[in-house]
Amino acid sequence: MQKVTLGPKTILSNIHINHDLVIPPGFLYHTIAVTIDGVRKYVTIAFHNTDDMKFTSAVSSAENLLYGGKLLDKLFTAAPERFNSKTVFPDCTSASLWNAKLFSAQKSMSESFKDTVEMVSFLDLQGLNVLDTQSELYSMDNLVALKDCSGILEYRKQLTELYKK
């Protein structure tokens, strides 16, 4: 059994937890099955209840966008090799949370969730693990095109079976 600490105003949707985690509060976490180069992977998104997904700024000012109630600059400072304006907003003419490439694809839902929780923890400079800097990052805009509907339904069936046990 995993030890999970869950704060207030937190929503978990389509999540599989297989690690001990302290989950930053106030976020909606949702895992999506995607197909990348013919391979099914999973991406967990996380957005805070105060985030304005559509607020847009110039890419040159992207560090001033608010994510999780914090300036995106906090994430850029905490893990600059993975998160910076070039990796998060490549080839973008404007910056918003909708097109911010913040989330990585992983082989399993539990690994995807863990990676996203660790990324969100960096907002409070509490991330203890070094994030995988080699993983390609995806935005909500990307995920709309990459979603794997049959994969989503298949995993929901698996979750239902897990809960029955």
Side-chain angles (χ1 to χ4, degrees):
M1 173 91 43
Q2 272 53 55
K3 180 180 178 187
V4 175
T5 304
L6 183 66
K9 296 184 179 180
T10 302
I11 298 171
L12 303 180
S13 172
N14 213 37
I15 298 296
H16 186 191
I17 300 171
N18 223 9
H19 302 87
D20 293 346
L21 291 172
V22 175
I23 301 168
F27 285 81
L28 160 70
Y29 297 89
H30 179 75
T31 302
I32 302 162
V34 295
T35 302
I36 300 169
D37 298 328
V39 177
R40 179 175 293 154
K41 293 191 176 186
Y42 299 92
V43 178
T44 301
I45 58 153
F47 292 101
H48 196 268
N49 61 31
T50 60
D51 287 340
D52 182 349
M53 299 282 297
K54 296 291 185 165
F55 179 79
T56 302
S57 75
V59 174
S60 61
S61 302
E63 70 276 0
N64 294 319
L65 283 174
L66 287 176
Y67 176 61
K70 309 281 189 328
L71 292 176
L72 204 52
D73 186 55
K74 282 215 171 206
L75 193 58
F76 290 1
T77 301
E81 60 286 336
R82 182 172 181 186
F83 301 107
N84 57 68
S85 60
K86 288 183 173 92
T87 60
V88 175
F89 299 104
D91 306 317
C92 292
T93 56
S94 62
S96 72
L97 293 181
W98 183 259
N99 68 350
K101 293 186 175 197
L102 299 172
F103 312 107
S104 70
Q106 303 293 327
K107 291 184 276 187
S108 72
M109 288 183 88
S110 60
E111 287 299 318
S112 173
F113 181 62
K114 179 179 178 276
D115 188 72
T116 296
V117 166
E118 289 175 352
M119 180 272 292
V120 170
S121 296
F122 271 90
L123 290 172
D124 290 324
L125 303 178
Q126 294 180 19
L128 301 175
N129 298 321
V130 175
L131 295 168
D132 177 7
T133 59
Q134 302 304 311
S135 294
E136 187 170 347
L137 300 173
Y138 298 92
S139 68
M140 277 299 301
D141 191 45
N142 299 136
L143 298 177
V144 170
L146 295 171
K147 71 181 178 294
D148 176 359
C149 294
S150 62
I152 293 167
L153 293 174
E154 182 180 314
Y155 197 77
R156 285 186 183 226
K157 287 178 189 174
Q158 290 174 7
L159 281 179
T160 300
E161 292 304 314
L162 274 173
Y163 294 136
K164 286 180 181 177
K165 292 181 181 179

